[in-house]
Amino acid sequence: IQAVVVTEPGLDTQEYSFEEPMPLAADSVEVEVLACTLGHTDTQQLRGDWGTCLMPLVPGREAVGVVVAVGRKVKSVQLGQRVGVLLGSGMDSENDEEGADRGALDFMTIGAAAERLRVPAAWAFPLPVSIPSPHACGLLSCGGPIWSQLTRRKLPRGAKVAIVGGGTAGFVAAHIASGLGFETFTMNAA
């Protein structure tokens, strides 16, 4: 698998090849990446702002791609389906007691800046055909963390949610909150 990596803290990237050492897990999918985002959180991790992580590090927390393999227990997505994938947004093992690695490999940290990505099927979800892959990926970059925060709280429909700030993130947050059935209030500095 071809990927972009850093081998030490910093922003100097290089091409890297690796092999998946294990068969695809029964509850996982393999996605051929069409687009991925690299944002501020990736820059922080690449520079080592959050402490050490396993190197080499493949950056990227959001990807859009096509499912090229499915584990035998997967029912939520199908072979050939275009999906969004969220890594590091509270949906993966970074927040579990089992560890902080975004991938299952013991010799590197896997992110989305690779030609293929293996993830639990729960992290991949179908995308509408009408949204081009680069646009969908950008929405995941902004909306993924917002979705994670709003759904992790398990708020009841009709709960009051305040969105502080505007811009793209505020706009997306207000629409996601409203779509989840929350009574949404926006507060912008004038």
Side-chain angles (χ1 to χ4, degrees):
I1 296 174
Q2 289 294 113
V4 173
V5 301
V6 295
T7 56
E8 60 186 39
L11 301 178
D12 292 327
T13 61
Q14 61 189 34
E15 290 187 24
Y16 186 80
S17 295
F18 66 95
E19 298 286 329
E20 287 284 356
M22 304 291 289
L24 184 64
D27 66 343
S28 294
V29 295
E30 184 167 328
V31 176
E32 181 180 334
V33 176
L34 302 174
C36 76
T37 63
L38 299 178
H40 185 66
T41 54
D42 293 295
T43 302
Q44 290 175 309
Q45 187 168 27
L46 291 170
R47 287 190 315 229
D49 294 353
W50 298 345
T52 58
C53 69
L54 192 58
M55 298 285 183
L57 164 67
V58 179
R61 293 176 174 269
E62 300 85 21
V64 171
V66 175
V67 176
V68 295
V70 294
R72 61 180 165 72
K73 293 183 179 179
V74 175
K75 305 280 189 248
S76 57
V77 295
Q78 300 172 356
L79 195 63
Q81 190 169 33
R82 191 175 68 123
V83 295
V85 176
L86 292 175
L87 301 167
S89 297
M91 297 177 71
D92 66 11
S93 64
E94 286 189 347
N95 293 328
D96 289 345
E97 295 174 2
E98 299 169 2
D101 195 358
R102 287 186 266 174
L105 304 179
D106 291 333
F107 61 90
M108 66 188 300
T109 302
I110 302 293
E115 67 180 359
R116 290 180 182 246
L117 182 63
R118 287 184 175 182
V119 296
W123 302 355
F125 48 90
L127 292 174
V129 177
S130 60
I131 303 174
S133 294
H135 298 174
C137 208
L139 284 171
L140 292 176
S141 180
C142 178
I146 294 166
W147 172 268
S148 177
Q149 292 301 313
L150 288 172
T151 58
R152 189 180 322 159
R153 303 286 183 259
K154 300 194 183 327
L155 299 172
R157 288 183 71 77
K160 294 180 180 181
V161 173
I163 309 299
V164 180
T168 303
F171 177 82
V172 171
H175 278 67
I176 291 174
S178 180
L180 289 170
F182 301 138
E183 188 176 349
T184 305
F185 301 89
T186 56
M187 299 183 292
N188 294 312

